Amino acid sequence: MCGILAVFGCIDNSQAKRSRIIELSRRLRHRGPDWSGLHSHDDCYLAHQRLAIVDPTSGDQPLYNEDKTIVVAVNGEIYNHRELREKLKSHQFRTGSDCEVIAHLYEDYGEDFVHMLDGMFSFVLLDTRDKSFIAARDAIGITPLYMGWCLDGSVWFSSEMKALSDDCERFVSFLPGHIYSSKNGGLRRWYNPPWYSETIPSTPYDHLVLRKAFEKAVVKRLMTDVPFGVLLSGGLDSSLVAAVANRYLADTEAARQWGSQLHTFCVGLKDSPDLKAAREVADYLGTRHHEFHFTVQEGIDALDEVIYHVETYDVTTIRASTPMFLMSRKIKSLGVKMVLSGEGSDEIFGGYLYFHKAPNKEEFHQETCRKIKALHLYDCLRANKSTSAWGVEARVPFLDKEFINVAMNIDPEWKMIRPDLGRIEKWVLRNAFDDDQNPYLPKHILYRQKEQFSDGVGYSWIDGLKDHASSLVSDSMLANASFVYPHNTPTTKEGYYYRTIFERYFPKNAARETVPGGPSVACSTAKAVEWDAAWSKNLDPSGRAALGVHAAAYEDASEVKTTVATDTPQKLEVDKAAVAV
């Protein structure tokens, strides 16, 4: 990952303004500690903090076309850059950077080229010939981007809120799959897949088509010139990422540079479910496994930093970001700069335990669509910012554009959880990799029940957070929360505690409005809470709130306190036989 900051239309273009842009850009240096770049043109500035993954020696940014009339600052990776270079043979490339193709694509295709990019990206491009500019974000919002407006009429873009929140009067999260054009004066959606309209698909399930699409998604993300690994929780999704990467690594350029033994990483409280499961998967695959422990107190001590970096007060995001934040620091200390991770699978396949209650295939499919559209506010935000806090890049193969199209085009009847047919959550994915002749994973790992990351690192983690918040937030503070925080009012002491930290770093109305809210059970959207009347009394983002579904479900409603949250990250599955609906 890198960090970008761009400002267009400043009234003041003095040396003092340039110094201010540099100062604000430094707030993003954790994202890109390898080099800093700044291009200024009249009243326009493009600043870049680089994390060098591809072509570390010559790919510093901003990047340019041949005569430097086109300037671009990019955060992300363009996996099909070699294929795109074949279409741009009339151009002279200055670097081996995967992102340089963007400047030349703009020259040849104007603003209508973003759909040609296969990757994760946020970028800002300045055409100095007419001082027009565009900004765009990848299809799902894997990489973060914010847009802001200053009182002097200038327009700002930044990878993180912290670089523009002080200077902009208003700012918002830039919508995924959209492009902003200064010529047209607004946002338009460039990403228009069939599933986006939530129309119910009817394509029959083909396990080999799904398997090949995912393998392709993993392999293309092994494009790297630096050491890398896989985040392995021991759950289905991260285990499949590791299994596929491990199977194909030897044939890649990355293996020739860094060796063919895959490195895997896991974090958890001592003796937590994740640590045990990840160790078993790593032993089966023969990876070089790195296991990191943390204590509840160490996690609590990190909360201020986590909320500053992740820029949210969403309860479940903070619960899950903290272990990932701590693990990323350890990973970086080993010299690793890129990791593959398992986000997105639960949204695509309906893997969260509350999907057991989906009343029909139509509502099941529509809920998966809603979940994918919201990923940029939750799991993508968490995975990107908690790793980027330490200069580590997270790549997510489940959110590959082509793979999503294949998976979301399957008749959702096949995704429905049907115990009578032996189908547990994510059965279509499990079955796709259930190969007796050449197994990817042992069957008992393939068929574990889902466990959310914030649960899997150790149940005492969440319990410890609640106890800590209860010791700091009084009953009267919570009772008056609606007066202190009228927007997205916290409904638990834990939520109240996180909100106080967030407001200390980001006190503006615009900042608090970037964080979503609404009722949720076990990471559902507000709409899906309607699937079971009992859930309205048990609103908690933990998978244990899926009463009657999770093997370690809360025993009664008294164990669950109301909270405002949605979405959580990667997984760890428990035993197939434990699923009881």
Side-chain angles (χ1 to χ4, degrees):
M1 284 297 112
C2 302
I4 58 176
L5 174 65
V7 185
F8 301 102
C10 297
I11 291 177
D12 176 12
N13 60 355
S14 64
Q15 179 60 41
K17 187 65 174 183
R18 181 185 179 94
S19 298
R20 177 60 175 168
I21 300 297
I22 292 171
E23 177 189 351
L24 293 173
S25 180
R26 285 198 197 105
R27 297 184 183 181
L28 305 174
R29 187 163 291 172
H30 54 275
R31 297 184 62 85
D34 296 334
W35 195 251
S36 303
L38 174 65
H39 178 93
S40 61
H41 176 78
D42 295 338
D43 57 358
C44 303
Y45 299 86
L46 282 82
H48 190 269
Q49 302 289 344
R50 188 187 184 203
L51 180 67
I53 303 290
V54 175
D55 186 28
T57 57
S58 69
D60 294 337
Q61 296 194 39
L63 296 162
Y64 305 89
N65 65 337
E66 291 88 342
D67 62 4
K68 294 194 172 184
T69 56
I70 310 299
V71 191
V72 62
V74 190
N75 167 35
E77 306 292 342
I78 310 301
Y79 302 121
N80 65 335
H81 73 102
R82 290 189 177 91
E83 293 91 330
L84 292 172
R85 283 174 183 250
E86 290 298 312
K87 297 180 179 181
L88 299 166
K89 286 189 174 180
S90 63
H91 292 274
Q92 179 182 351
F93 285 81
R94 299 172 180 272
T95 75
S97 168
D98 54 296
C99 296
E100 190 179 350
V101 295
I102 292 174
H104 301 304
L105 285 169
Y106 174 80
E107 287 186 286
D108 284 7
Y109 298 94
E111 296 180 358
D112 299 320
F113 70 89
V114 184
H115 67 280
M116 300 169 66
L117 303 175
D118 181 8
M120 56 176 187
F121 55 83
S122 298
F123 70 82
V124 180
L125 181 149
L126 171 66
D127 186 338
T128 62
R129 296 169 296 187
D130 59 5
K131 286 179 64 174
S132 64
F133 60 89
I134 60 173
R137 190 176 183 188
D138 66 63
I140 306 299
I142 301 167
T143 60
L145 186 64
Y146 294 83
M147 182 177 183
W149 297 267
C150 194
L151 288 174
D152 67 356
S154 56
V155 181
W156 295 53
F157 300 92
S158 176
S159 295
E160 294 185 4
M161 194 160 56
K162 57 182 65 67
L164 49 70
S165 58
D166 288 345
D167 290 48
C168 289
E169 187 70 14
R170 177 164 163 71
F171 45 91
V172 297
S173 177
F174 194 100
L175 290 173
H178 280 69
I179 179 172
Y180 176 88
S181 167
S182 65
K183 290 179 181 177
N184 298 326
L187 284 167
R188 72 176 186 275
R189 188 152 52 87
W190 64 263
Y191 180 57
N192 296 286
W195 65 266
Y196 203 90
S197 65
E198 301 184 13
T199 303
I200 311 303
S202 58
T203 303
Y205 167 59
D206 185 325
H207 73 285
L208 289 179
V209 170
L210 189 66
R211 181 196 297 181
K212 289 174 182 176
F214 184 65
E215 289 181 327
K216 184 178 178 182
V218 172
V219 171
K220 74 173 67 168
R221 282 161 179 77
L222 299 179
M223 177 187 80
T224 177
D225 294 323
V226 299
F228 70 99
V230 174
L231 303 185
L232 178 63
S233 72
L236 175 68
D237 306 327
S238 63
S239 296
L240 284 178
V241 173
V244 174
N246 194 60
R247 181 166 293 196
Y248 292 99
L249 176 59
D251 298 326
T252 66
E253 178 63 31
R256 286 186 280 277
Q257 290 190 68
W258 307 107
S260 58
Q261 187 177 28
L262 184 67
H263 288 253
T264 52
F265 308 95
C266 185
V267 67
L269 304 179
K270 191 175 181 181
D271 298 323
S272 68
D274 275 13
L275 293 179
K276 295 176 182 177
R279 197 178 309 124
E280 181 181 6
V281 175
D283 289 344
Y284 178 82
L285 296 176
T287 69
R288 180 77 177 274
H289 191 56
H290 308 267
E291 187 176 285
F292 306 123
H293 298 168
F294 76 101
T295 65
V296 171
Q297 187 59 54
E298 286 171 335
I300 288 170
D301 291 343
L303 284 173
D304 269 53
E305 276 189 287
V306 169
I307 292 171
Y308 171 75
H309 279 288
V310 181
E311 302 181 324
T312 188
Y313 50 82
D314 175 67
V315 169
T316 193
T317 302
I318 294 167
R319 287 177 177 180
S321 293
T322 305
M324 200 170 194
F325 174 86
L326 296 172
M327 175 170 56
S328 297
R329 186 175 192 180
K330 291 282 192 178
I331 289 172
K332 188 59 182 285
S333 73
L334 296 175
V336 172
K337 297 171 73 172
M338 186 274 281
V339 292
L340 272 60
S341 191
E343 282 74 18
S345 172
D346 286 322
E347 287 72 17
I348 294 168
F349 296 106
Y352 292 107
L353 296 184
Y354 72 89
F355 276 93
H356 280 255
K357 301 288 188 176
N360 53 58
K361 73 175 186 179
E362 289 79 15
E363 290 203 40
F364 188 106
H365 180 73
Q366 289 162 359
E367 175 72 358
T368 61
C369 294
R370 289 191 292 266
K371 292 290 288 179
I372 296 171
K373 291 175 185 178
L375 269 168
H376 69 288
L377 299 172
Y378 298 105
D379 283 26
C380 288
L381 178 145
R382 169 194 49 76
N384 183 281
K385 291 183 180 178
S386 56
T387 54
S388 293
W390 299 106
V392 176
E393 174 175 289
R395 298 180 180 178
V396 282
F398 279 107
L399 297 181
D400 179 82
K401 274 197 305 183
E402 183 179 339
F403 177 74
I404 292 176
N405 286 341
V406 170
M408 292 302 289
N409 201 36
I410 298 171
D411 185 335
E413 184 64 43
W414 288 93
K415 296 182 182 179
M416 290 284 286
I417 298 159
R418 295 283 303 274
D420 57 317
L421 298 177
R423 295 181 190 169
I424 65 171
E425 65 275 356
K426 294 188 285 194
W427 178 85
V428 293
L429 180 62
R430 301 173 195 273
N431 182 69
F433 288 90
D434 193 348
D435 188 338
D436 291 331
Q437 301 301 316
N438 191 14
Y440 289 78
L441 294 167
K443 283 189 186 291
H444 70 279
I445 293 173
L446 264 180
Y447 290 97
R448 281 193 180 115
Q449 185 185 20
K450 178 191 167 43
E451 186 81 89
Q452 291 166 198
F453 184 48
S454 51
D455 286 336
V457 296
Y459 290 143
S460 59
W461 166 235
I462 291 177
D463 297 336
L465 288 173
K466 290 180 177 181
D467 291 344
H468 178 68
S470 293
S471 70
L472 297 174
V473 179
S474 68
D475 292 341
S476 61
M477 290 166 70
L478 187 61
N480 291 305
S482 62
F483 301 104
V484 180
Y485 303 120
H487 178 79
N488 275 352
T489 303
T491 53
T492 65
K493 292 183 177 181
E494 185 186 5
Y496 192 104
Y497 176 58
Y498 299 157
R499 186 66 172 269
T500 61
I501 298 172
F502 177 89
E503 296 276 343
R504 192 163 69 243
Y505 290 119
F506 306 105
K508 289 187 176 179
N509 278 328
R512 62 183 66 101
E513 289 173 359
T514 65
V515 182
S520 173
V521 62
C523 292
S524 74
T525 66
K527 178 68 177 174
V529 173
E530 301 171 6
W531 291 351
D532 190 318
W535 285 351
S536 63
K537 300 176 183 178
N538 298 289
L539 298 174
D540 190 277
S542 168
R544 290 181 288 166
L547 304 183
V549 176
H550 194 288
Y554 294 118
E555 292 181 4
D556 56 61
S558 64
E559 291 191 44
V560 186
K561 299 174 184 177
T562 306
T563 192
V564 175
T566 345
D567 276 23
T568 304
Q570 85 206 33
K571 14 265 143 208
L572 180 159
E573 327 290 328
V574 187
D575 193 21
K576 174 182 178 184
V579 179
V581 182

